[in-house]
Amino acid sequence: MDHFNLRDGAVHCEDVPLAEIAAAVGTPVYVYSTATMQRHARVFRDALGGIDDPLIAYAVKANPNKAVLATLAREGLGADVVSIGEYKRAIAAGIPAGRIVFSGVGKTAAEMAHALEHGLYQFNLESVEEAEMLSAVASRLGLEAPVAFRVNPDVEAGSHPKISTGSVHNKFGVPIGEALAAYGRARELPGLKVQGVAVHIGSQLTDLGPLRAAFTKLGELIGDLRKAGHDISVADLGGGLGIPYDPALPPPPSPLDYGRMVAEITADWHVRLVFEPGRMIVGNAGVLLSEVIRVKPGAAAPFVVLDAAMNDLMRPSLYDAWHAIDPVTPRGSEMTANVVGPVCETGDTFATGRRMGQVQPGDLIVFRTAGAYAATMASTYNSRPLTAEVLVSGNNWSVVRERQDIEALIAADRLPPWLGP
Ligand code: LLP
């Protein structure tokens, strides 16, 4: 459920007409709903109601805007970060260091040192090599690093191949068959406090089966580790719960179904559970608002050319992702269209042969479900400045990221001395 609804014939975000934001800020612009984020954070927490003191570490990569993070910090969420940039954003937004989990397959020594010096809940290590590097960094600083190994359970997540991570052929985690040896090695290393296990098998999962299989394997590993004398007090179950994008498809499992499955499988684990939801918290809480530049005739269907392009919203060209595209002020009739951006490649296509509300040049449209992995994956391809972002709360709204200034973008380039000043 979200708070982008038709009211008086026009789409509003909470109590604000989207057209008002477009008129003031220009397009394209991302618009986020505070009430939707709050609702999703609470729904997820409630779904884990039977679990004692879970740490919900929001996956910052889904939407790292500081205002988004500050909203979620007030809901008591922690953060799952994968770079020191994300770590700094989380801290700047008011997320306590003690609620930050540091994931990622390529943490550098400098990143490790920064997180150690400023504090965190846990490093999720992805290899023995990484454990060795962290041990050296922690020893040099005279600090102790709380760690878990992310294990790769070799489970096919069933999601898009580019966002499935739990197979042995993926770069992620320590293969589960090698986990006991990895923990044995970590125990010998100075500066590490081995406290947990972690798993994350992919994103936009629409079936609980693979998650259940991965968690079951993780439970068996916890038993084996304890038998081998390791003190395991934390289990991080990652993120990955899918959300509805296309209303024509069956809905993904609900947070409640997920919570019940987790409670059942982890009942006798006796650990603190950590969760890393990203998309589930912010996905439906954002839209990309864009204007139709022109409608150009096409062989099979007209091309609706928008002022938003693949550089603003990468998901369709990267993953063939489906986003609902709706007119902000529906005209009451429909059309079949190819919806494209102005970038000079055919990949800059948002939808082909799409049945959608009729639009004309100058109309506003929204891409729905664009709160996660959207603004954050934007680039300046075709020298298009990064899009503005707006946060709505009730009848208030505020620009939470200025549109990038094209002159500043160009000024960041430097001419070498031999090409002039
Ligand atoms: N934890 C780890 C270690 C992750 O790698 C991810 C996502 C998450 C948690 C959060 O997963 P979520 O709950 O959001 O599914 N750009 C892609 C998605 C990439 C996901 C990367 N990792 C997309 O637009 O679909």
Side-chain angles (χ1 to χ4, degrees):
M1 205 205 98
D2 63 43
H3 289 78
F4 295 92
N5 295 314
L6 266 181
R7 212 188 273 181
D8 305 326
V11 180
H12 286 55
C13 176
E14 303 189 20
D15 298 329
V16 179
L18 288 179
E20 178 184 321
I21 295 173
V25 183
T27 53
V29 56
Y30 279 98
V31 181
Y32 308 131
S33 154
T34 300
T36 312
M37 289 191 277
Q38 288 171 335
R39 183 185 142 79
H40 289 183
R42 290 169 196 174
V43 162
F44 195 74
R45 184 176 295 288
D46 290 350
L48 303 175
I51 291 164
D52 187 32
D53 190 30
L55 172 58
I56 303 176
Y58 164 69
V60 172
K61 63 171 80 71
N63 187 327
N65 187 287
K66 209 204 283 187
V68 168
L69 298 181
T71 302
L72 298 177
R74 289 182 188 200
E75 292 298 311
L77 268 53
D80 164 48
V81 304
V82 292
S83 70
I84 219 60
E86 287 191 351
Y87 178 94
K88 287 184 177 179
R89 276 178 184 268
I91 296 285
I95 294 177
R99 287 192 204 146
I100 297 181
V101 175
F102 199 161
S103 304
V105 72
K107 301 172 205 79
T108 65
E111 289 182 311
M112 291 171 175
H114 184 96
L116 267 174
E117 282 173 325
H118 294 83
L120 80 170
Y121 183 69
Q122 176 170 290
F123 287 97
N124 287 350
L125 301 176
E126 302 229 8
S127 62
V128 170
E129 291 75 7
E130 189 185 9
E132 286 166 351
M133 180 186 269
L134 180 59
S135 165
V137 173
S139 302
R140 173 167 57 76
L141 297 173
L143 295 169
E144 189 172 62
V147 303
F149 274 111
R150 172 176 176 179
V151 294
N152 185 322
D154 196 19
V155 167
E156 291 296 340
S159 188
H160 189 283
K162 285 188 184 161
I163 54 174
S164 296
T165 55
S167 136
V168 275
H169 301 294
N170 301 138
K171 66 181 173 180
F172 298 100
V174 174
I176 197 152
E178 297 166 26
L180 268 179
Y183 278 88
R185 174 73 182 127
R187 180 160 48 190
E188 294 165 1
L189 291 170
L192 301 188
K193 176 178 175 282
V194 179
Q195 66 180 28
V197 293
V199 75
H200 171 80
I201 60 168
S203 194
Q204 187 53 20
L205 307 180
T206 51
D207 177 4
L208 290 182
L211 286 168
R212 177 182 278 277
F215 299 164
T216 303
K217 287 188 177 192
L218 199 68
E220 288 162 12
L221 177 65
I222 293 173
D224 293 346
L225 289 170
R226 286 185 173 146
K227 270 186 222 138
H230 295 282
D231 187 8
I232 301 297
S233 57
V234 177
D236 182 336
L237 301 184
L241 194 57
I243 63 171
Y245 282 92
D246 184 347
L249 296 179
S254 70
L256 206 56
D257 292 342
Y258 172 86
R260 286 202 188 108
M261 180 271 285
V262 167
E264 176 204 321
I265 292 187
T266 62
D268 59 355
W269 285 13
H270 308 295
V271 291
R272 182 175 194 204
L273 290 177
V274 180
F275 299 87
E276 302 172 355
R279 192 188 311 264
M280 196 268 133
I281 303 291
V282 292
N284 285 333
V287 296
L288 172 60
L289 180 57
S290 174
E291 186 176 309
V292 178
I293 301 174
R294 67 180 55 87
V295 180
K296 182 188 158 179
F303 291 99
V304 170
V305 185
L306 303 177
D307 66 0
M310 62 186 288
N311 71 296
D312 302 303
L313 178 64
M314 288 284 288
R315 303 193 69 258
S317 62
L318 209 49
Y319 317 114
D320 295 318
W322 194 100
H323 286 262
I325 304 171
D326 293 323
V328 167
T329 310
R331 295 173 175 276
S333 50
E334 288 209 329
M335 69 192 295
T336 300
N338 303 317
V339 185
V340 301
V343 159
C344 297
E345 53 180 284
T346 302
D348 186 23
T349 297
F350 293 116
T352 304
R354 174 75 65 91
R355 277 309 281 171
M356 59 181 281
Q358 183 85 34
V359 291
Q360 295 177 7
D363 284 4
L364 295 170
I365 63 94
V366 280
F367 288 91
R368 295 187 184 265
T369 325
Y373 306 110
T376 186
M377 291 175 67
S379 77
T380 59
Y381 186 39
N382 278 213
S383 289
R384 294 168 49 86
L386 294 177
T387 307
E389 295 170 58
V390 162
L391 181 64
V392 173
S393 179
N395 56 12
N396 288 321
W397 64 270
S398 182
V399 174
V400 293
R401 181 182 189 157
E402 295 286 345
R403 187 178 310 284
Q404 193 176 28
D405 175 33
I406 191 65
E407 302 306 332
L409 178 68
I410 297 168
D413 289 358
R414 297 277 178 273
L415 285 179
W418 63 89
L419 290 177

